[in-house]
Amino acid sequence: MAEAGVAASAAAATGAALAVAPAGGFRVAVSPGPVAVGTMVLRDAHPADLWHPADDPGSALYLHHLAVGRAFAGRRIGAWLLDQAAAEAGRRGKRYLRLDAWTSNTRLHDYYRSQGFRLVRFEDDTSGALFERPVSPP
């Protein structure tokens, strides 16, 4: 995506690098020091109450718990983490990076759209807004 270079530059400016926890899909972006600047969890498994068989759940990597430290807000670390997650999805042969957000958090919806995600649907029973972003193979 066009903004990927900007996000990577922002990460480089803070000295951020992505560290992978040895167990599970937990990722931490760290800057020199080391200081954690952001986190995310990536999983092959999908929340069954949100993504249904018709969604082809195996075609996606699922992102959970994306967070950026307040001291690093506005530096595009979140965009960089999303790009890293999309790259990982591509390496795993997935077609999409998917996530969910609270239905009422329209500001977050706008942010995800600005990062290349499209709204798939709202799940009324769970207060979930479901988003996906196409990814490219490596």
Side-chain angles (χ1 to χ4, degrees), residues 9-83:
S9 296
T14 61
L18 194 62
V20 178
F26 187 67
R27 308 288 195 273
V28 178
V30 294
S31 67
V35 174
V37 298
T39 64
M40 65 180 169
V41 175
L42 300 175
R43 300 223 188 274
D44 287 310
H46 66 284
D49 59 332
L50 298 176
W51 298 97
H52 308 298
D55 296 317
D56 189 13
S59 67
L61 185 63
Y62 296 86
L63 184 142
H64 305 276
H65 309 294
L66 176 68
V68 174
R70 298 309 311 150
F72 295 92
R75 298 186 192 183
R76 302 198 43 78
I77 298 298
W80 179 71
L81 285 167
L82 290 170
D83 289 345

